């Protein structure tokens, strides 16, 4: 009887853990292969200690607080080395939510507990179709937990419409300000 109670408790805890992962399951909206244009210039560089990927962020890399060491110190990625300009075309490869299986596969010194958006980024803004060498990862803030929240957050940085024609109609000083990433 005592073992049955503990088995039942273990089963219920396991089901509760599975239910929490169901809330963060992949979205029903099909993002894979969708093309977008950057609405504000972004920072780009190496993805923490994994140089197989690039990192793209609206924030300067030195301000990123996604990863802490065991002692509680912030681990920031290497300094950004490039700018992803306004009007650059990107394609979503996939959105990967932090499940137990993929958190184990992710490199240790990366923000393994956040959703990752894998992006193919073109070399330059406009109608360029040549891709950058690396696949880039855009880190989704931890508080984003629903499709609507992700869509709203994503749409602050990316547009479904090509925004380059509007950009060309702006004055030279306005274009220069737009091409600088936010600080």
């Amino acid at each position: 009887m005592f073992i049955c109670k503990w088995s039942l408790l273990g089963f219920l805890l396991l089901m509760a853990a599975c239910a929490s992962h169901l809330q963060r399951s992949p979205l029903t909206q099909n993002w894979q292969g969708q093309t977008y244009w950057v609405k504000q210039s972004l920072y780009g560089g190496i993805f923490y200690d994994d140089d197989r990927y690039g990192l793209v962020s609206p924030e300067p890399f030195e301000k990123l607080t996604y990863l802490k060491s065991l002692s509680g110190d912030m681990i920031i990625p290497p300094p950004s080395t490039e700018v992803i300009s306004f009007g650059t075309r990107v394609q979503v490869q996939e959105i990967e939510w932090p499940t137990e299986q993929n958190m184990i596969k992710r490199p240790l010194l990366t923000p393994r507990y956040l959703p990752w958006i894998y992006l193919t980024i073109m070399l330059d803004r406009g109608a360029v179709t040549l891709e950058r060498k690396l696949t880039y990862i855009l880190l989704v803030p931890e508080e984003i937990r629903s499709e609507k929240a992700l869509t709203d957050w994503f749409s602050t940085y990316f547009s479904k419409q090509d925004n380059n024609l509007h950009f060309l109609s702006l004055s030279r000083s306005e274009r220069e300000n737009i091409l600088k990433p936010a600080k």
Side-chain angles (χ1 to χ4, degrees), residues 84-137:
I84 314 302
S85 297
F86 170 94
T88 301
R89 187 169 28 178
V90 301
Q91 187 174 35
V92 175
Q93 290 180 7
E94 73 173 295
I95 297 174
E96 185 179 86
W97 294 88
T99 63
E100 287 179 18
Q101 184 178 17
N102 65 28
M103 284 190 299
I104 292 170
K105 292 179 188 176
R106 291 176 175 180
L108 187 60
L109 291 176
T110 62
R112 300 180 312 158
Y113 302 99
L114 294 176
W116 293 4
I117 300 177
Y118 292 85
L119 299 171
T120 301
I121 301 178
M122 301 308 135
L123 281 175
D124 204 359
R125 53 176 297 281
V128 175
T129 57
L130 296 173
E131 301 170 356
R132 295 173 191 243
K133 289 188 283 184
L134 296 174
T135 295
Y136 285 77
I137 295 173

XYZ file of all heavy atoms in Angstrom, residues 84-137:
457
model
N 23.142 43.838 -38.797
C 22.127 43.345 -39.726
C 21.241 44.559 -39.996
O 20.473 44.979 -39.137
C 21.290 42.192 -39.127
C 22.152 41.134 -38.434
C 20.367 41.608 -40.169
C 23.204 40.467 -39.248
N 21.363 45.127 -41.174
C 20.726 46.408 -41.485
C 19.221 46.307 -41.680
O 18.704 45.272 -42.118
C 21.334 47.004 -42.757
O 22.692 47.272 -42.570
N 18.557 47.411 -41.395
C 17.140 47.593 -41.698
C 16.925 47.173 -43.150
O 17.708 47.512 -44.029
C 16.789 49.077 -41.508
C 15.431 49.450 -41.998
C 14.355 49.456 -41.134
C 15.221 49.809 -43.322
C 13.095 49.816 -41.579
C 13.967 50.170 -43.772
C 12.899 50.173 -42.899
N 15.848 46.440 -43.407
C 15.515 46.052 -44.773
C 16.207 44.796 -45.258
O 16.037 44.408 -46.410
N 16.975 44.133 -44.396
C 17.621 42.876 -44.772
C 16.586 41.759 -44.686
O 15.821 41.678 -43.743
C 18.808 42.569 -43.837
O 19.746 43.638 -43.909
C 19.485 41.267 -44.211
N 16.600 40.912 -45.688
C 15.654 39.799 -45.721
C 16.175 38.650 -44.865
O 17.361 38.334 -44.890
C 15.448 39.331 -47.154
C 14.366 38.298 -47.257
C 13.925 37.961 -48.641
N 14.940 38.148 -49.640
C 14.751 37.864 -50.911
N 13.602 37.407 -51.325
N 15.713 38.054 -51.782
N 15.274 38.052 -44.082
C 15.611 36.881 -43.273
C 14.558 35.812 -43.526
O 13.431 36.112 -43.914
C 15.667 37.210 -41.755
C 16.684 38.279 -41.465
C 14.316 37.591 -41.213
N 14.952 34.577 -43.314
C 14.018 33.470 -43.456
C 14.076 32.642 -42.179
O 15.161 32.314 -41.691
C 14.377 32.618 -44.663
C 13.359 31.561 -44.975
C 13.691 30.842 -46.265
O 14.841 30.628 -46.585
N 12.653 30.466 -46.989
N 12.911 32.326 -41.640
C 12.835 31.517 -40.431
C 13.034 30.059 -40.813
O 12.289 29.514 -41.622
C 11.475 31.701 -39.710
C 11.358 30.757 -38.523
C 11.291 33.144 -39.273
N 14.069 29.437 -40.232
C 14.289 28.004 -40.456
C 13.408 27.188 -39.528
O 12.764 26.241 -39.961
C 15.754 27.642 -40.218
C 16.693 28.183 -41.244
C 18.131 27.785 -40.939
O 18.409 26.999 -40.032
N 19.051 28.342 -41.696
N 13.425 27.552 -38.239
C 12.575 26.859 -37.276
C 12.571 27.630 -35.963
O 13.425 28.463 -35.707
C 13.037 25.421 -37.029
C 14.291 25.294 -36.209
C 14.620 23.858 -35.842
O 13.842 23.234 -35.097
O 15.664 23.376 -36.297
N 11.563 27.325 -35.159
C 11.489 27.829 -33.792
C 11.630 26.614 -32.893
O 10.895 25.637 -33.032
C 10.164 28.554 -33.524
C 10.046 29.774 -34.422
C 10.080 28.953 -32.054
C 8.724 30.478 -34.339
N 12.614 26.673 -31.991
C 12.882 25.538 -31.123
C 12.613 25.936 -29.678
O 13.281 26.803 -29.134
C 14.342 25.100 -31.299
C 14.703 23.858 -30.540
C 16.143 23.469 -30.787
O 17.022 23.991 -30.080
O 16.375 22.652 -31.710
N 11.618 25.299 -29.093
C 11.270 25.560 -27.702
C 12.128 24.691 -26.807
O 12.552 23.606 -27.204
C 9.784 25.296 -27.481
C 8.951 26.278 -28.232
C 8.514 26.159 -29.517
C 8.510 27.552 -27.784
N 7.819 27.281 -29.881
C 7.797 28.153 -28.839
C 8.635 28.241 -26.580
C 7.219 29.408 -28.731
C 8.058 29.495 -26.474
C 7.351 30.064 -27.535
N 12.408 25.125 -25.593
C 13.302 24.371 -24.708
C 12.632 23.148 -24.083
O 12.034 23.230 -23.021
C 13.690 25.400 -23.639
C 12.554 26.354 -23.609
C 12.003 26.405 -25.004
N 12.712 22.044 -24.766
C 12.237 20.779 -24.209
C 13.424 20.082 -23.550
O 14.572 20.445 -23.796
C 11.656 19.873 -25.311
O 12.704 19.558 -26.236
C 10.497 20.544 -26.034
N 13.156 19.081 -22.738
C 14.247 18.370 -22.069
C 15.215 17.780 -23.085
O 16.424 17.820 -22.904
C 13.686 17.279 -21.169
C 13.036 17.815 -19.920
C 12.452 16.727 -19.045
O 12.816 15.552 -19.206
O 11.633 17.078 -18.181
N 14.686 17.278 -24.179
C 15.528 16.633 -25.182
C 16.477 17.632 -25.850
O 17.668 17.376 -25.959
C 14.655 15.957 -26.229
C 15.462 15.184 -27.240
C 14.575 14.486 -28.250
O 13.403 14.813 -28.387
N 15.129 13.537 -28.961
N 15.962 18.797 -26.294
C 16.868 19.707 -26.987
C 17.719 20.541 -26.031
O 18.758 21.039 -26.419
C 16.151 20.564 -28.032
C 15.148 21.509 -27.459
O 15.262 21.952 -26.318
N 14.133 21.833 -28.233
N 17.308 20.701 -24.766
C 18.166 21.401 -23.806
C 19.433 20.595 -23.545
O 20.500 21.154 -23.341
C 17.424 21.681 -22.498
C 16.457 22.833 -22.616
S 15.780 23.383 -21.043
C 14.929 21.963 -20.448
N 19.311 19.276 -23.571
C 20.489 18.420 -23.387
C 21.421 18.538 -24.583
O 22.639 18.531 -24.433
C 20.045 16.956 -23.164
C 19.340 16.840 -21.814
C 21.220 15.998 -23.257
C 18.650 15.515 -21.590
N 20.873 18.684 -25.775
C 21.677 18.778 -26.997
C 22.365 20.135 -27.151
O 23.388 20.240 -27.800
C 20.794 18.551 -28.229
C 20.268 17.163 -28.366
C 19.405 17.091 -29.606
C 18.671 15.786 -29.712
N 17.760 15.762 -30.866
N 21.795 21.176 -26.558
C 22.354 22.517 -26.711
C 23.670 22.641 -25.954
O 23.843 22.047 -24.900
C 21.360 23.562 -26.207
C 20.129 23.675 -27.083
C 19.136 24.645 -26.502
N 18.013 24.843 -27.402
C 16.989 25.639 -27.142
N 16.935 26.315 -26.003
N 16.014 25.771 -28.016
N 24.615 23.450 -26.498
C 25.899 23.631 -25.814
C 25.709 24.186 -24.399
O 24.794 24.973 -24.136
C 26.631 24.639 -26.695
C 26.018 24.464 -28.042
C 24.576 24.126 -27.784
N 26.590 23.786 -23.507
C 26.476 24.108 -22.094
C 26.478 25.609 -21.826
O 25.665 26.107 -21.060
C 27.618 23.431 -21.319
C 27.555 23.529 -19.812
C 26.274 22.900 -19.283
C 28.762 22.866 -19.178
N 27.383 26.356 -22.439
C 27.486 27.790 -22.163
C 26.683 28.618 -23.159
O 27.181 29.566 -23.776
C 28.953 28.225 -22.144
C 29.749 27.678 -20.963
C 31.208 28.076 -21.056
C 29.152 28.117 -19.640
N 25.430 28.230 -23.326
C 24.478 28.995 -24.134
C 23.175 29.082 -23.343
O 22.956 28.286 -22.435
C 24.207 28.310 -25.496
O 23.631 27.020 -25.260
C 25.471 28.183 -26.328
N 22.299 30.022 -23.681
C 20.996 30.099 -22.981
C 20.095 28.934 -23.395
O 19.220 29.071 -24.246
C 20.430 31.440 -23.420
C 21.514 32.157 -24.112
C 22.512 31.153 -24.556
N 20.309 27.790 -22.811
C 19.626 26.550 -23.197
C 18.156 26.538 -22.824
O 17.387 25.753 -23.363
C 20.316 25.352 -22.561
C 21.751 25.227 -22.987
C 22.476 24.061 -22.400
N 22.291 23.947 -20.967
C 22.463 22.820 -20.299
N 22.798 21.723 -20.929
N 22.304 22.782 -18.992
N 17.746 27.379 -21.892
C 16.373 27.331 -21.367
C 15.431 28.319 -22.059
O 14.306 28.477 -21.624
C 16.399 27.580 -19.859
C 17.252 26.567 -19.155
C 18.554 26.854 -18.785
C 16.759 25.287 -18.903
C 19.352 25.902 -18.167
C 17.548 24.327 -18.288
C 18.842 24.643 -17.923
O 19.611 23.692 -17.322
N 15.908 28.972 -23.110
C 15.084 29.936 -23.847
C 14.666 29.353 -25.192
O 15.372 28.514 -25.754
C 15.883 31.220 -24.111
C 16.268 32.054 -22.905
C 17.135 33.228 -23.344
C 15.045 32.545 -22.178
N 13.558 29.830 -25.742
C 13.226 29.469 -27.123
C 14.245 30.092 -28.083
O 14.695 31.215 -27.868
C 11.844 30.082 -27.340
C 11.298 30.313 -25.968
C 12.482 30.591 -25.102
N 14.605 29.359 -29.113
C 15.540 29.830 -30.127
C 14.821 29.898 -31.465
O 14.115 28.972 -31.846
C 16.723 28.886 -30.277
C 17.647 28.804 -29.104
C 17.518 29.408 -27.884
C 18.856 28.031 -29.034
N 18.570 29.069 -27.072
C 19.408 28.237 -27.748
C 19.512 27.216 -29.925
C 20.593 27.629 -27.346
C 20.702 26.603 -29.517
C 21.229 26.826 -28.249
N 15.040 30.989 -32.183
C 14.552 31.100 -33.560
C 15.772 31.042 -34.462
O 16.650 31.892 -34.376
C 13.773 32.409 -33.797
C 12.566 32.485 -32.863
C 13.334 32.506 -35.265
C 11.776 33.783 -32.973
N 15.828 30.014 -35.303
C 16.934 29.851 -36.246
C 16.598 30.637 -37.509
O 15.532 30.448 -38.096
C 17.128 28.378 -36.597
C 17.635 27.532 -35.461
C 16.756 26.989 -34.528
C 18.994 27.283 -35.315
C 17.232 26.204 -33.478
C 19.468 26.491 -34.271
C 18.587 25.963 -33.359
O 19.043 25.191 -32.326
N 17.526 31.514 -37.926
C 17.302 32.391 -39.072
C 18.389 32.233 -40.128
O 19.572 32.097 -39.794
C 17.294 33.859 -38.630
C 16.244 34.297 -37.621
C 16.536 35.710 -37.139
C 14.859 34.218 -38.240
N 17.977 32.297 -41.373
C 18.905 32.478 -42.483
C 18.840 33.960 -42.811
O 17.745 34.496 -43.039
C 18.477 31.645 -43.705
O 18.445 30.273 -43.323
C 19.414 31.843 -44.868
N 19.981 34.626 -42.821
C 20.014 36.076 -43.050
C 20.778 36.355 -44.331
O 21.864 35.809 -44.553
C 20.665 36.800 -41.848
C 19.868 36.506 -40.574
C 20.766 38.296 -42.113
C 20.436 37.128 -39.319
N 20.220 37.223 -45.175
C 20.865 37.577 -46.427
C 22.074 38.483 -46.153
O 22.185 39.103 -45.105
C 19.880 38.287 -47.363
C 18.657 37.453 -47.706
S 19.055 35.807 -48.318
C 17.907 34.813 -47.405
N 22.968 38.561 -47.123
C 24.203 39.326 -46.951
C 23.985 40.821 -46.749
O 24.742 41.469 -46.037
C 25.119 39.136 -48.168
C 25.915 37.849 -48.206
C 26.681 37.740 -49.516
C 26.865 37.755 -47.032
N 22.979 41.369 -47.390
C 22.760 42.810 -47.315
C 21.276 43.103 -47.436
O 20.480 42.223 -47.739
C 23.539 43.509 -48.435
C 23.854 44.961 -48.135
O 23.457 45.466 -47.068
O 24.511 45.603 -48.967
N 20.923 44.350 -47.237
C 19.522 44.749 -47.306
C 19.057 44.780 -48.760
O 19.851 44.799 -49.677
C 19.312 46.107 -46.630
C 20.211 47.208 -47.101
C 19.877 48.538 -46.461
N 18.556 48.981 -46.821
C 18.247 49.554 -47.974
N 19.151 49.755 -48.884
N 17.012 49.926 -48.218
N 17.754 44.782 -48.923
C 17.170 44.865 -50.253
C 16.831 43.497 -50.824
O 16.577 42.546 -50.103
N 16.869 43.416 -52.150
C 16.462 42.203 -52.854
C 17.599 41.201 -52.986
O 17.632 40.404 -53.906
C 15.924 42.573 -54.231
N 18.535 41.219 -52.074
C 19.684 40.318 -52.094
C 19.214 38.908 -51.728
O 18.442 38.720 -50.790
C 20.756 40.811 -51.088
C 21.904 39.836 -50.990
C 21.234 42.188 -51.474
N 19.703 37.920 -52.485
C 19.343 36.537 -52.189
C 20.547 35.716 -51.732
O 20.394 34.540 -51.431
C 18.701 35.855 -53.414
O 19.614 35.935 -54.499
C 17.381 36.511 -53.772
N 21.734 36.313 -51.683
C 22.919 35.612 -51.194
C 22.881 35.579 -49.678
O 22.703 36.602 -49.024
C 24.197 36.303 -51.672
C 24.417 36.310 -53.186
C 25.620 37.166 -53.540
C 24.591 34.896 -53.703
N 23.067 34.392 -49.117
C 22.932 34.200 -47.669
C 24.281 34.321 -46.961
O 25.322 34.017 -47.537
C 22.357 32.805 -47.391
C 21.016 32.579 -48.018
C 20.552 31.132 -47.939
O 21.318 30.274 -47.444
O 19.424 30.869 -48.381
N 24.234 34.738 -45.715
C 25.426 34.731 -44.869
C 25.810 33.286 -44.582
O 24.963 32.393 -44.640
C 25.164 35.492 -43.574
C 24.916 36.966 -43.835
C 24.486 37.689 -42.579
N 24.009 39.007 -42.924
C 24.572 40.142 -42.517
N 25.601 40.097 -41.699
N 24.091 41.297 -42.895
N 27.081 33.076 -44.239
C 27.594 31.712 -44.035
C 26.927 30.981 -42.877
O 26.640 29.806 -42.974
C 29.103 31.743 -43.777
C 29.929 32.092 -44.976
C 31.400 31.907 -44.698
C 31.926 33.054 -43.869
N 33.372 32.987 -43.643
N 26.697 31.682 -41.785
C 26.183 31.041 -40.576
C 24.658 31.061 -40.511
O 24.019 31.943 -41.086
C 26.712 31.761 -39.332
C 28.215 31.733 -39.093
C 28.565 32.606 -37.901
C 28.701 30.311 -38.886
N 24.110 30.115 -39.798
C 22.716 30.196 -39.365
C 22.732 31.020 -38.088
O 23.583 30.824 -37.223
C 22.160 28.791 -39.084
O 22.137 28.062 -40.314
C 20.764 28.859 -38.497
N 21.806 31.956 -37.957
C 21.764 32.840 -36.793
C 20.645 32.412 -35.859
O 19.616 31.907 -36.291
C 21.537 34.293 -37.231
C 22.776 34.894 -37.836
C 23.165 34.591 -39.129
C 23.588 35.738 -37.100
C 24.312 35.118 -39.686
C 24.739 36.275 -37.635
C 25.099 35.961 -38.932
O 26.236 36.490 -39.458
N 20.873 32.667 -34.578
C 19.873 32.359 -33.563
C 19.421 33.661 -32.923
O 20.239 34.468 -32.485
C 20.437 31.404 -32.495
C 20.766 30.057 -33.146
C 19.447 31.232 -31.348
C 21.479 29.088 -32.241
